[in-house]
Amino acid sequence: MSRYSNRDTAGRGKTHKIVFTVVLIVAILLGSGAGVYAFDYAYKQYEKIKKEVVIEAGTPITLDLFFYEMLPESSFVSDISSIDTTVPAVYSIKVKGWKYTTDVTLTIQDTTAPTGKAVSQIIYANELPPVEQCVTSVMDLSSVQVSYKDANPDVSVGGQYDVPVAITDLYGNSTIIQVPFLVIDDHTPPTIYGAHDMEYWVGDTIQYRDGLAAQ
């Protein structure tokens, strides 16, 4: 006769079911944990790729600009060789990093003002020179316009002044250069010396300034 009763057999079967259920739950949880970890890791890698990149005009386009942190197997999918970085524009570029190919918006902007050097001016009162001769060595990636900051600088009175000249590029960036002006206020007519009568034959070349001097 068996030592175990039917009650004992039923108890062991119930225990086995409980253990199997617990093991199954643990296995599911472990599997779910691995899946969550894998998803989290992949998402973090994806987030290392920038979705928008802004560069200043003239800046070379390099791969590292498109990543917060470089990923394995990173490369440009789009051909960037035809992009002129000196001209502001917006481009859609495909970039690959790890297992992902991502669309990135590249914006090229020009926020750099032109540069130039002042050319000192010596003028008579009210004789304002062409503004272009007031500056030199003008540099910018785009075309520029040179103008007096004040439309009509007052140079009617003699003295030394700094006249502001504006250099503005195609995108509205402007630099103000102070140009030194020496204004000569001369209202005294010159004194002529050596005036005398002259006689010439018809057809002779007349030397009107012969023997004359002015001061």
Side-chain angles (χ1 to χ4, degrees):
M1 185 175 176
S2 172
R3 295 175 52 195
Y4 304 104
S5 64
N6 291 335
R7 180 179 297 178
D8 293 333
T9 302
R12 288 201 308 274
K14 188 175 182 179
T15 300
H16 290 162
K17 289 181 181 179
I18 293 173
V19 171
F20 175 76
T21 301
V22 171
V23 171
L24 180 61
I25 292 173
V26 170
I28 292 173
L29 290 176
L30 289 175
S32 299
V36 169
Y37 174 80
F39 175 82
D40 182 64
Y41 177 80
Y43 180 76
K44 288 180 178 178
Q45 303 312 301
Y46 173 75
E47 285 297 296
K48 292 178 181 178
I49 305 174
K50 297 180 181 179
K51 308 308 179 289
E52 294 185 2
V53 174
V54 179
I55 63 173
E56 185 68 14
T59 302
I61 300 176
T62 56
L63 192 59
D64 59 294
L65 295 174
F66 294 79
F67 293 85
Y68 294 106
E69 181 181 330
M70 289 294 291
L71 295 174
E73 303 177 19
S74 298
S75 63
F76 287 115
V77 177
S78 300
D79 180 12
I80 64 168
S81 62
S82 61
I83 296 178
D84 184 357
T85 62
T86 65
V87 179
V90 178
Y91 298 90
S92 179
I93 294 178
K94 291 186 181 296
V95 176
K96 183 177 183 297
W98 196 47
K99 298 180 179 180
Y100 302 106
T101 296
T102 304
D103 289 320
V104 181
T105 300
L106 171 65
T107 302
I108 301 174
Q109 63 181 13
D110 185 346
T111 61
T112 303
T115 59
K117 295 181 180 179
V119 178
S120 299
Q121 302 292 310
I122 301 176
I123 64 170
Y124 287 103
N126 294 315
E127 295 185 3
L128 195 66
V131 69
E132 290 80 12
Q133 73 182 43
C134 295
V135 292
T136 188
S137 303
V138 176
M139 295 184 63
D140 195 80
L141 292 177
S142 68
S143 59
V144 301
Q145 179 180 6
V146 182
S147 61
Y148 287 111
K149 183 176 182 293
D150 303 321
N152 296 297
D154 184 4
V155 290
S156 61
V157 179
Q160 291 186 331
Y161 305 93
D162 284 335
V163 176
V165 171
I167 308 175
T168 307
D169 69 12
L170 192 61
Y171 305 101
N173 304 302
S174 185
T175 296
I176 304 298
I177 296 179
Q178 301 295 334
V179 180
F181 270 61
L182 173 59
V183 180
I184 300 172
D185 191 359
D186 185 3
H187 297 286
T188 303
T191 300
I192 300 176
Y193 301 94
H196 59 281
D197 295 335
M198 294 181 289
E199 294 183 0
Y200 289 91
W201 293 100
V202 175
D204 288 348
T205 300
I206 302 175
Q207 305 292 332
Y208 291 100
R209 297 183 182 182
D210 183 36
L212 298 181
Q215 183 177 358

